[in-house]
Amino acid sequence: MKTWKKPLKVGLVGATGVVGETFINLLEEYTYPIEEFRPFASQNSEGIKLFLAGKEWAVQILKPGCFDGLDMVFFSSGDDISKEWAPQAVKAGAFAIDNSNAFRMEKETALLVPEVNGHLINSSSRPQVIANPNCSTIQLTVALKPLFDHYGIEDVTVATYQAVSGAGLPGYEELLTQTKNFETPDHVSKTFPKQILFNCIPQIGSFDDQGFCSEESKIMNETPKILGDQNLKVSAFTVRIPALNSHSEAVWVTLKKDVSREVLLKTMDEFPGLAMMDQDYPTPLEVSGQDPVFVGRVHQDCHNPRRWLMWVVSDNLKKGAALNGLQIANLIFS
Ligand SMILES: NC(=O)c1ccc[n+]([C@@H]2O[C@H](COP(=O)([O-])OP(=O)(O)OC[C@H]3O[C@@H](n4cnc5c(N)ncnc54)[C@H](OP(=O)(O)O)[C@@H]3O)[C@@H](O)[C@H]2O)c1
């Protein structure tokens, strides 16, 4: 992965969360040049020391003027905090890369997956809020983009199987605690609406009047915006499963043109960020910690030759959040 031309002053809101931790690990792994690092979290974490680029940096709380002098701030601590503070980062002259849902569907906000619509931002862009899409949407759009460009897409149906890390540190800890105490008859469920151990839960977020939960609406609204086709029909059904990390998706995509399986696989294989598995299939356990979006089990529907089924798996903390955010920063600074 490319790094930045010059050392940057970087802020990270939500530095003690699972996405924040992944963001720091990626900065270390790819040895990004860092002139200053300003980590932010809640009062509970104030003063905690985080290690990056050979130094310790103390966690701060958000306060007026806290972004002064920064080049970029990555926000990963929820909608309300982003709504209030991301515009302040931009006012202070920084790019705000926002991992929350706060700005994604605003008309003037770029909703970016660099491999898919990275042309919307470049090194001449002015400081602004840039939205990182929903984690399930990111991996879906990376898999769809080569098909969209080469054959056109009529419609997409997706069923997700989402890991507990998608609900942050509390989700992760809830599954681990229930696993340690697996013989307990009544598990306490605070993060998920029902016991997650030995279970799967067809609800991620709250339900709307039509019966969709908010995770489903995010996928259905964001995918057409990212692919640049507001007429694209996307239908989503999202399910939480007791995997620790990495989201999986069963995808049905109807193309506008005929194509052979061999050519379709080649088209996807050549697309950056996709790792095709033809003889095997990816699973969340194997994919966790890796950068690409993995695709396996590509096969043709038996009723409609233009409809294709596939299995798409990716690390929600990496490509679904922190890595995608860093790739956005690369468009601006490298
Ligand atoms: N997890 C994923 O796979 C994923 C993927 C895409 C997008 N997202 C989005 O990313 C965001 C963070 O997710 P996460 O999974 O990392 O959650 P998390 O593990 O629960 O972490 C939340 C972070 O927000 C911080 N925070 C809480 N209140 C704060 C405040 N008043 N001021 C500043 N920081 C505060 C927490 O600090 P303390 O430790 O001090 O409480 C912690 O660092 C959410 O918007 C989520 O929807 C998550």
Side-chain angles (χ1 to χ4, degrees):
M1 190 158 67
K2 279 194 226 165
T3 65
W4 303 320
K5 278 190 199 128
K6 63 175 184 96
L8 295 187
K9 297 181 179 177
V10 176
L12 173 59
V13 181
T16 51
V18 284
V19 172
E21 185 187 4
T22 308
F23 193 82
I24 295 171
N25 290 342
L26 281 168
L27 290 172
E28 281 283 29
E29 184 186 340
Y30 289 105
T31 55
Y32 275 89
I34 303 286
E35 185 179 333
E36 185 188 340
F37 179 54
R38 240 176 267 171
F40 299 95
S42 78
Q43 257 176 351
N44 300 336
S45 308
E46 193 177 7
I48 289 178
K49 301 268 176 22
L50 298 177
F51 189 82
L52 175 64
K55 285 189 199 158
E56 282 188 334
W57 310 88
V59 172
Q60 308 179 21
I61 55 165
L62 295 165
K63 50 180 181 273
C66 66
F67 303 126
D68 289 355
L70 294 177
D71 298 298
M72 166 187 110
V73 184
F74 185 71
F75 283 83
S76 191
S77 56
D79 298 359
D80 293 345
I81 290 168
S82 289
K83 250 182 219 151
E84 182 180 351
W85 292 94
Q88 299 203 32
V90 175
K91 241 189 218 165
F95 284 85
I97 301 176
D98 180 32
N99 200 36
S100 83
N101 188 41
F103 299 96
R104 288 177 186 156
M105 292 312 296
E106 288 197 355
K107 210 172 164 209
E108 65 279 10
T109 304
L111 181 63
L112 281 191
V113 180
E115 300 90 332
V116 179
N117 61 349
H119 61 277
L120 296 176
I121 293 290
N122 58 46
S123 54
S124 325
S125 302
R126 296 178 144 272
Q128 59 190 278
V129 177
I130 301 167
N132 222 22
N134 163 271
C135 41
S136 304
T137 310
I138 292 177
Q139 66 187 71
L140 178 66
T141 56
V142 175
L144 293 178
K145 175 66 173 170
L147 305 177
F148 181 84
D149 285 349
H150 286 82
Y151 315 113
I153 295 180
E154 202 70 59
D155 58 60
V156 178
T157 302
V158 55
T160 72
Y161 306 77
Q162 299 189 211
V164 293
S165 66
L169 198 53
Y172 202 84
E173 286 173 348
E174 192 154 302
L175 176 58
L176 287 181
T177 306
Q178 291 182 358
T179 305
K180 272 186 216 141
N181 307 314
F182 71 96
E183 284 178 319
T184 306
D186 295 313
H187 287 283
V188 178
S189 299
K190 285 189 189 155
T191 305
F192 303 113
K194 299 191 183 213
Q195 175 182 319
I196 186 66
L197 180 68
F198 306 141
N199 212 356
C200 60
I201 304 171
Q203 177 186 1
I204 303 182
S206 51
F207 289 109
D208 67 17
D209 295 344
Q210 287 178 289
F212 288 102
C213 59
S214 46
E215 185 80 354
E216 291 157 358
S217 303
K218 288 175 193 173
I219 297 171
M220 295 190 294
N221 294 331
E222 293 175 22
T223 303
K225 178 170 176 178
I226 296 164
L227 288 171
D229 178 2
Q230 287 306 330
N231 296 322
L232 184 66
K233 288 174 265 176
V234 182
S235 185
F237 198 111
T238 58
V239 181
R240 185 79 67 191
I241 61 159
L244 275 177
N245 189 44
S246 293
H247 293 343
S248 308
E249 300 179 339
V251 180
W252 290 255
V253 49
T254 313
L255 304 179
K256 290 184 175 167
K257 290 183 189 160
D258 295 327
V259 58
S260 70
R261 181 172 185 275
E262 191 190 355
V263 173
L264 183 138
L265 285 181
K266 189 165 176 290
T267 305
M268 294 184 84
D269 198 36
E270 286 167 355
F271 191 71
L274 273 184
M276 300 302 294
M277 293 177 78
D278 195 19
Q279 304 304 322
D280 193 6
Y281 48 81
T283 67
L285 209 53
E286 294 157 302
V287 158
S288 285
Q290 301 201 55
D291 290 356
V293 173
F294 289 80
V295 179
R297 294 210 52 204
V298 177
H299 56 292
Q300 207 165 19
D301 185 69
C302 44
H303 305 291
N304 179 354
R306 289 191 177 174
R307 182 177 299 142
W308 292 85
L309 290 81
M310 59 193 71
W311 177 245
V312 180
V313 188
S314 187
D315 187 326
N316 50 293
L317 298 178
K318 288 192 104 181
K319 184 57 187 165
L323 175 64
N324 197 69
L326 264 182
Q327 289 170 329
I328 293 172
N330 286 351
L331 296 173
I332 303 160
F333 298 111
S334 63

Short mmCIF file of all heavy atoms in Angstrom, two decimals, residues 13-20 40-42 44-45 62 76-79 81 99-100 104 135 165-170 316-317 320-321, ligand 1:
data_model
loop_
_atom_site.label_atom_id
_atom_site.label_comp_id
_atom_site.label_asym_id
_atom_site.label_seq_id
_atom_site.Cartn_x
_atom_site.Cartn_y
_atom_site.Cartn_z
N VAL A 13 -10.35 10.01 16.32
CA VAL A 13 -11.43 10.06 17.32
C VAL A 13 -12.02 8.65 17.43
O VAL A 13 -12.45 8.07 16.42
CB VAL A 13 -12.52 11.07 16.90
CG1 VAL A 13 -13.62 11.13 17.96
CG2 VAL A 13 -11.92 12.45 16.69
N GLY A 14 -12.02 8.10 18.65
CA GLY A 14 -12.42 6.70 18.84
C GLY A 14 -11.19 5.80 18.84
O GLY A 14 -11.24 4.64 18.44
N ALA A 15 -10.07 6.37 19.33
CA ALA A 15 -8.77 5.67 19.23
C ALA A 15 -8.72 4.40 20.06
O ALA A 15 -7.90 3.52 19.78
CB ALA A 15 -7.66 6.62 19.66
N THR A 16 -9.58 4.29 21.09
CA THR A 16 -9.53 3.11 21.95
C THR A 16 -10.55 2.03 21.54
O THR A 16 -10.65 1.00 22.19
CB THR A 16 -9.80 3.51 23.42
OG1 THR A 16 -11.01 4.29 23.41
CG2 THR A 16 -8.67 4.34 23.98
N GLY A 17 -11.28 2.28 20.47
CA GLY A 17 -12.27 1.30 19.99
C GLY A 17 -11.61 0.26 19.08
O GLY A 17 -10.43 0.36 18.76
N VAL A 18 -12.40 -0.72 18.64
CA VAL A 18 -11.82 -1.78 17.80
C VAL A 18 -11.39 -1.25 16.42
O VAL A 18 -10.37 -1.67 15.88
CB VAL A 18 -12.75 -3.01 17.64
CG1 VAL A 18 -12.75 -3.86 18.89
CG2 VAL A 18 -14.15 -2.64 17.23
N VAL A 19 -12.15 -0.30 15.88
CA VAL A 19 -11.74 0.28 14.59
C VAL A 19 -10.52 1.17 14.81
O VAL A 19 -9.55 1.13 14.04
CB VAL A 19 -12.90 1.08 13.95
CG1 VAL A 19 -12.41 1.83 12.72
CG2 VAL A 19 -14.05 0.16 13.57
N GLY A 20 -10.54 1.97 15.90
CA GLY A 20 -9.40 2.83 16.21
C GLY A 20 -8.11 2.03 16.35
O GLY A 20 -7.06 2.39 15.81
N PHE A 40 -8.11 10.60 20.33
CA PHE A 40 -9.22 11.09 21.16
C PHE A 40 -10.14 9.93 21.53
O PHE A 40 -10.34 9.00 20.74
CB PHE A 40 -10.05 12.12 20.38
CG PHE A 40 -9.29 13.34 19.98
CD1 PHE A 40 -8.71 13.43 18.71
CD2 PHE A 40 -9.13 14.41 20.85
CE1 PHE A 40 -8.01 14.56 18.32
CE2 PHE A 40 -8.43 15.55 20.47
CZ PHE A 40 -7.87 15.63 19.20
N ALA A 41 -10.71 10.01 22.74
CA ALA A 41 -11.71 9.03 23.17
C ALA A 41 -12.57 9.69 24.25
O ALA A 41 -12.53 10.92 24.40
CB ALA A 41 -11.03 7.76 23.69
N SER A 42 -13.35 8.90 24.98
CA SER A 42 -14.20 9.49 26.02
C SER A 42 -13.36 9.80 27.26
O SER A 42 -12.19 9.40 27.34
CB SER A 42 -15.32 8.51 26.38
OG SER A 42 -14.80 7.50 27.23
N ASN A 44 -13.40 8.41 30.00
CA ASN A 44 -12.93 7.17 30.65
C ASN A 44 -11.52 6.81 30.23
O ASN A 44 -10.81 6.12 30.95
CB ASN A 44 -13.82 5.97 30.26
CG ASN A 44 -15.24 6.17 30.67
OD1 ASN A 44 -15.51 6.94 31.59
ND2 ASN A 44 -16.17 5.50 29.99
N SER A 45 -11.13 7.24 29.05
CA SER A 45 -9.81 6.83 28.52
C SER A 45 -8.80 7.96 28.53
O SER A 45 -7.67 7.78 28.06
CB SER A 45 -9.97 6.34 27.07
OG SER A 45 -10.96 5.37 26.99
N LEU A 62 -12.35 15.46 23.47
CA LEU A 62 -12.67 16.48 22.46
C LEU A 62 -12.98 17.79 23.14
O LEU A 62 -13.74 17.83 24.11
CB LEU A 62 -13.87 16.01 21.64
CG LEU A 62 -13.61 14.76 20.79
CD1 LEU A 62 -14.92 14.15 20.31
CD2 LEU A 62 -12.70 15.07 19.61
N SER A 76 -14.19 7.72 14.36
CA SER A 76 -14.75 6.39 14.52
C SER A 76 -15.32 6.22 15.92
O SER A 76 -14.87 5.36 16.69
CB SER A 76 -13.66 5.35 14.23
OG SER A 76 -14.26 4.09 14.13
N SER A 77 -16.31 7.04 16.24
CA SER A 77 -16.93 6.89 17.56
C SER A 77 -18.42 7.22 17.55
O SER A 77 -18.95 7.68 18.55
CB SER A 77 -16.20 7.75 18.59
OG SER A 77 -16.20 9.07 18.18
N GLY A 78 -19.07 6.96 16.42
CA GLY A 78 -20.53 7.07 16.41
C GLY A 78 -21.04 8.33 15.74
O GLY A 78 -20.33 9.33 15.59
N ASP A 79 -22.34 8.26 15.36
CA ASP A 79 -22.98 9.32 14.56
C ASP A 79 -22.98 10.68 15.26
O ASP A 79 -22.66 11.70 14.65
CB ASP A 79 -24.43 8.94 14.26
CG ASP A 79 -24.54 7.66 13.45
OD1 ASP A 79 -23.48 7.09 13.10
OD2 ASP A 79 -25.67 7.23 13.16
N ILE A 81 -21.20 12.03 17.68
CA ILE A 81 -19.89 12.69 17.83
C ILE A 81 -19.40 13.20 16.48
O ILE A 81 -18.92 14.33 16.36
CB ILE A 81 -18.88 11.72 18.49
CG1 ILE A 81 -19.30 11.52 19.94
CG2 ILE A 81 -17.46 12.24 18.41
CD1 ILE A 81 -18.63 10.42 20.67
N ASN A 99 -16.16 7.55 9.73
CA ASN A 99 -16.55 6.15 9.67
C ASN A 99 -17.99 5.92 10.15
O ASN A 99 -18.45 4.79 10.20
CB ASN A 99 -15.56 5.36 10.55
CG ASN A 99 -15.53 3.91 10.24
OD1 ASN A 99 -15.66 3.52 9.08
ND2 ASN A 99 -15.35 3.09 11.25
N SER A 100 -18.68 6.97 10.51
CA SER A 100 -20.04 6.81 11.04
C SER A 100 -21.06 6.96 9.90
O SER A 100 -20.72 7.21 8.75
CB SER A 100 -20.32 7.86 12.13
OG SER A 100 -20.70 9.08 11.52
N ARG A 104 -23.14 10.06 5.33
CA ARG A 104 -23.00 9.20 4.14
C ARG A 104 -23.96 9.54 3.01
O ARG A 104 -23.59 9.52 1.85
CB ARG A 104 -23.19 7.73 4.53
CG ARG A 104 -22.04 7.17 5.30
CD ARG A 104 -22.32 5.74 5.72
NE ARG A 104 -21.27 5.23 6.58
CZ ARG A 104 -21.45 4.24 7.45
NH1 ARG A 104 -22.64 3.67 7.57
NH2 ARG A 104 -20.45 3.81 8.19
N CYS A 135 -19.67 -1.01 6.63
CA CYS A 135 -18.71 -2.11 6.39
C CYS A 135 -19.23 -3.16 5.39
O CYS A 135 -18.50 -3.61 4.50
CB CYS A 135 -18.33 -2.77 7.71
SG CYS A 135 -19.70 -3.01 8.84
N SER A 165 -17.71 -8.24 15.94
CA SER A 165 -16.84 -7.05 16.01
C SER A 165 -17.46 -5.87 15.29
O SER A 165 -17.06 -4.73 15.52
CB SER A 165 -15.46 -7.36 15.44
OG SER A 165 -15.55 -7.61 14.06
N GLY A 166 -18.43 -6.12 14.43
CA GLY A 166 -19.15 -5.05 13.76
C GLY A 166 -19.92 -4.19 14.75
O GLY A 166 -20.28 -3.05 14.45
N ALA A 167 -20.16 -4.71 15.94
CA ALA A 167 -20.85 -3.92 16.99
C ALA A 167 -19.83 -3.35 17.97
O ALA A 167 -20.19 -3.01 19.10
CB ALA A 167 -21.87 -4.80 17.70
N GLY A 168 -18.57 -3.25 17.56
CA GLY A 168 -17.54 -2.63 18.40
C GLY A 168 -17.07 -3.55 19.51
O GLY A 168 -17.45 -4.73 19.60
N LEU A 169 -16.25 -2.98 20.39
CA LEU A 169 -15.66 -3.75 21.49
C LEU A 169 -16.72 -4.43 22.35
O LEU A 169 -16.57 -5.60 22.72
CB LEU A 169 -14.79 -2.80 22.33
CG LEU A 169 -13.76 -3.42 23.24
CD1 LEU A 169 -12.86 -4.39 22.49
CD2 LEU A 169 -12.93 -2.32 23.90
N PRO A 170 -17.85 -3.75 22.67
CA PRO A 170 -18.87 -4.41 23.51
C PRO A 170 -19.43 -5.67 22.85
O PRO A 170 -19.73 -6.66 23.54
CB PRO A 170 -19.95 -3.34 23.66
CG PRO A 170 -19.27 -2.04 23.40
CD PRO A 170 -18.21 -2.34 22.39
N ASN A 316 -14.19 -6.76 8.40
CA ASN A 316 -14.98 -5.52 8.58
C ASN A 316 -14.20 -4.43 9.29
O ASN A 316 -14.49 -3.24 9.13
CB ASN A 316 -16.28 -5.82 9.33
CG ASN A 316 -16.06 -6.61 10.61
OD1 ASN A 316 -15.67 -7.77 10.55
ND2 ASN A 316 -16.31 -6.00 11.76
N LEU A 317 -13.21 -4.81 10.11
CA LEU A 317 -12.43 -3.77 10.80
C LEU A 317 -11.37 -3.19 9.87
O LEU A 317 -10.97 -2.04 10.02
CB LEU A 317 -11.76 -4.35 12.05
CG LEU A 317 -12.71 -4.88 13.12
CD1 LEU A 317 -11.93 -5.48 14.29
CD2 LEU A 317 -13.62 -3.76 13.62
N GLY A 320 -13.52 -2.98 5.80
CA GLY A 320 -14.83 -2.43 6.15
C GLY A 320 -14.78 -1.14 6.96
O GLY A 320 -15.81 -0.53 7.22
N ALA A 321 -13.58 -0.72 7.38
CA ALA A 321 -13.49 0.49 8.20
C ALA A 321 -12.12 1.16 8.08
O ALA A 321 -11.92 2.04 7.24
CB ALA A 321 -13.80 0.13 9.66
N1 LIG B 1 -16.76 -2.23 14.14
C1 LIG B 1 -16.89 -2.19 12.83
O1 LIG B 1 -16.74 -3.19 12.11
C2 LIG B 1 -17.26 -0.91 12.16
C3 LIG B 1 -17.23 -0.88 10.76
C4 LIG B 1 -17.58 0.28 10.10
C5 LIG B 1 -17.99 1.37 10.84
N2 LIG B 1 -18.01 1.32 12.20
C6 LIG B 1 -18.38 2.54 12.92
O2 LIG B 1 -17.22 3.02 13.59
C7 LIG B 1 -17.57 3.66 14.81
C8 LIG B 1 -16.80 3.04 15.97
O3 LIG B 1 -16.94 1.68 15.98
P1 LIG B 1 -16.11 0.68 16.86
O4 LIG B 1 -16.59 -0.63 16.38
O5 LIG B 1 -14.66 0.96 16.90
O6 LIG B 1 -16.75 0.97 18.33
P2 LIG B 1 -16.14 0.75 19.80
O7 LIG B 1 -15.16 -0.37 19.83
O8 LIG B 1 -17.32 0.68 20.69
O9 LIG B 1 -15.35 2.11 20.10
C9 LIG B 1 -15.98 3.35 20.29
C10 LIG B 1 -14.93 4.44 20.45
O10 LIG B 1 -15.59 5.71 20.59
C11 LIG B 1 -15.03 6.35 21.74
N3 LIG B 1 -15.95 7.30 22.34
C12 LIG B 1 -17.09 7.06 23.04
N4 LIG B 1 -17.60 8.22 23.52
C13 LIG B 1 -16.77 9.21 23.11
C14 LIG B 1 -16.75 10.61 23.29
N5 LIG B 1 -17.72 11.26 23.98
N6 LIG B 1 -15.74 11.33 22.74
C15 LIG B 1 -14.76 10.71 22.02
N7 LIG B 1 -14.72 9.37 21.82
C16 LIG B 1 -15.72 8.63 22.37
C17 LIG B 1 -14.72 5.22 22.68
O11 LIG B 1 -13.85 5.68 23.69
P3 LIG B 1 -13.78 4.94 25.16
O12 LIG B 1 -12.96 3.71 24.96
O13 LIG B 1 -13.11 5.95 26.02
O14 LIG B 1 -15.19 4.67 25.57
C18 LIG B 1 -14.05 4.25 21.70
O15 LIG B 1 -12.74 4.69 21.40
C19 LIG B 1 -19.09 3.55 14.87
O16 LIG B 1 -19.63 4.70 14.28
C20 LIG B 1 -19.39 2.35 14.02
O17 LIG B 1 -20.70 2.37 13.50
C21 LIG B 1 -17.65 0.21 12.87
#
